[in-house]
Amino acid sequence: MTTTTSVHPSERVSLLGFSEIVKIRNRVLEMIGRGQRVLRLEGGEPFMPTPDFIKQAMKDALDANETRYAPSSGTAPLLDAIRAKLAAKNHLPVETSSIIVTSGGAHGLFCAFQASVDPGDEVILFSPYWTPIRDHIAYCGATPVRVPWDELEGKDIRDVLAPRISAKTRLMYVNTPSNPTGCVLSGEQLRGIAELAVAHDLTVISDEAYEDLVYDGEHVSIATFPGMAERTISVFTLSKSFAMTGWRVGYIVAPEVFMTPIRKLVLNSINGVSTPSQAAAAAAITHGAEFIAGARADYRKRRDLLVPALEGAGFRIAPPRGAFYLFADVRERLGGDSWQAMETLLSRTSIASVPGVVFGQEGEGHLRMSLSVTMNVVEEAVDGLGKL
Ligand code: PLP
């Protein structure tokens, strides 16, 4: 029997979009289902498994029955490990009370935006950007103000950003190294952003998901600049650094003014991250330096093979300075419609990629490909690009 009903979803949730990347994944899975070979460069995860010592730490935690609720802000050993890492690596000496463990960077970013942005606010972000950020801004009822990455070339970052700051500007979202462009902001550029943030009394959300994957230069945390610790919500994740995407562990560092709201958001959304995952995360952060150095060398090797192959195929691409994505301008070779270009590349070379327009309209005419794939896949991709 059917009954009439007026049940309906909240209006709020209609502010959120759906990831277009899912469409590509479905297309790829459909091809694989038909027995076709697909070189899966559309993804965004480390290609290697989680290191054994990290897995062992979780097994040990399970054997020790560390299976009960953890404090919702994080276990003491993990918070201590994060505090030591922040001081040594990011030059951010903070108390553990300024740190909170989240279910990966995605959850950390969700909480960061919800804690700091109101309806009607404007949020400045560089474009192309990681797609979920658009939704995080929309879910706050705020308006994104895009700054094309390309405009930074040869200019003082202050001159590029200042005209975009209005009375409504509340926050700047800074993602370095960047997904999808692989851009890395220099210390000088970050200083410029910091000076503007202080001058206009803005909050900064600093997304440092790829902090360990910088190939040229070094990663700098914007919270280290004068006046920034008190206005920066820094969001970190173990996903990319330690090949732990499925473990869902990340953390936020924030001044007290944001910590209480973020604690409430974490409590009411997840009430803490899985206890054995936190034991593994503590081991990763404390003993993971060697793994990170090896992974970085592996990614660099792949970058140095794939970039010339893309150039040889007629694409324009600067070697990414960080993260593990190749963001190629394909307009001359495959035309300006990036969805069409993705289809053409897929059908001619079996290489799956993500249309650049998915990352904002400044990404149109580009394709994003991951360099985080096995060497066999790299070789097949180089071969395919040679025949394009
Ligand atoms: N920030 C950026 C720029 C990302 O690309 C990602 C993942 O792709 C994340 C944050 C969040 O990753 P996770 O939720 O796995 O920690």
Side-chain angles (χ1 to χ4, degrees):
M1 193 182 79
T2 53
T3 54
T4 52
T5 162
S6 61
V7 295
H8 59 283
S10 70
E11 280 174 34
R12 198 171 55 255
V13 85
S14 70
L15 296 170
L16 291 171
F18 235 111
S19 168
E20 285 108 328
I21 297 181
V22 173
K23 272 197 238 167
I24 301 154
R25 192 175 305 142
N26 291 344
R27 173 94 176 77
V28 166
L29 293 178
E30 175 213 327
M31 287 175 72
I32 292 171
R34 287 203 305 263
Q36 284 172 263
R37 175 93 175 115
V38 181
L39 303 173
R40 303 200 57 182
L41 273 63
E42 87 287 4
E45 326 196 31
F47 67 88
M48 70 291 275
T50 307
D52 285 343
F53 77 92
I54 300 176
K55 292 193 253 181
Q56 190 58 49
M58 181 188 253
K59 291 177 195 166
D60 292 346
L62 291 173
D63 286 343
N65 288 317
E66 289 178 32
T67 55
R68 293 182 182 275
Y69 289 127
S72 84
S73 296
T75 62
L78 178 54
L79 291 173
D80 278 343
I82 294 169
R83 187 183 44 74
K85 174 262 179 190
L86 287 169
K89 195 148 117 182
N90 305 93
H91 310 294
L92 287 175
V94 295
E95 301 293 324
T96 49
S97 57
S98 304
I99 304 167
I100 185 159
V101 178
T102 60
S103 181
H107 177 237
L109 287 163
F110 183 84
C111 295
F113 276 98
Q114 287 299 315
S116 59
V117 177
D118 280 313
D121 289 343
E122 289 180 0
V123 174
I124 292 180
L125 79 168
F126 295 100
S127 179
Y129 47 79
W130 187 46
T131 317
I133 300 304
R134 180 194 61 198
D135 295 285
H136 289 319
I137 296 170
Y139 203 59
C140 294
T143 308
V145 176
R146 299 190 317 273
V147 180
W149 280 102
D150 282 350
E151 271 192 39
L152 297 184
E153 224 161 282
K155 291 205 190 119
D156 187 322
I157 201 164
R158 297 167 192 81
D159 298 337
V160 178
L161 289 174
R164 267 111 174 176
I165 298 175
S166 79
K168 291 186 179 166
T169 309
R170 180 79 172 267
L171 182 139
M172 292 195 272
Y173 165 77
V174 179
N175 171 220
T176 180
S178 139
N179 175 9
T181 63
C183 291
V184 173
L185 291 167
S186 68
E188 254 332 285
Q189 288 175 310
L190 290 167
R191 181 184 299 282
I193 298 174
E195 282 174 12
L196 286 174
V198 171
H200 295 272
D201 203 14
L202 306 177
T203 303
V204 168
I205 292 182
S206 175
D207 179 350
E208 305 187 32
Y210 298 92
E211 63 167 336
D212 288 310
L213 304 182
V214 177
Y215 307 109
D216 308 303
E218 55 166 1
H219 174 71
V220 178
S221 292
I222 195 167
T224 54
F225 289 96
M228 291 307 288
E230 51 268 49
R231 64 181 66 252
T232 306
I233 307 176
S234 309
V235 183
F236 297 89
T237 171
L238 279 77
S239 288
K240 318 288 175 169
S241 298
F242 301 106
M244 288 179 74
T245 45
W247 298 67
R248 313 309 302 137
V249 189
Y251 52 98
I252 291 176
V253 186
E256 185 48 41
V257 63
F258 293 122
M259 271 321 269
T260 303
I262 291 171
R263 276 194 207 102
K264 290 186 204 166
L265 286 158
V266 169
L267 177 69
N268 286 289
S269 53
I270 62 166
N271 191 15
V273 169
S274 142
T275 308
S277 276
Q278 294 198 57
I285 289 174
T286 310
H287 304 294
E290 204 181 314
F291 171 77
I292 289 174
R296 197 190 294 124
D298 287 346
Y299 293 134
R300 181 195 288 272
K301 189 165 148 198
R302 286 154 174 77
R303 179 191 75 162
D304 295 346
L305 288 168
L306 284 164
V307 168
L310 290 165
E311 283 173 330
F315 300 159
R316 287 155 71 93
I317 177 164
R321 295 180 55 224
F324 48 46
Y325 304 101
L326 303 154
F327 201 64
D329 180 342
V330 301
R331 280 174 287 195
E332 277 169 25
R333 190 70 178 75
L334 300 176
D337 177 335
S338 54
W339 278 99
Q340 185 55 53
M342 183 273 286
E343 286 291 349
T344 309
L345 188 70
L346 185 59
S347 62
R348 290 195 200 155
T349 66
S350 303
I351 295 175
S353 60
V354 183
V357 72
V358 162
F359 306 101
Q361 67 196 59
E362 283 73 17
E364 185 55 309
H366 292 69
L367 292 176
R368 191 195 77 174
M369 284 156 270
S370 170
L371 56 83
S372 177
V373 288
T374 62
M375 281 310 276
N376 284 347
V377 174
V378 171
E379 280 158 22
E380 280 185 67
V382 169
D383 203 41
L385 287 166
K387 296 180 192 139
L388 180 69

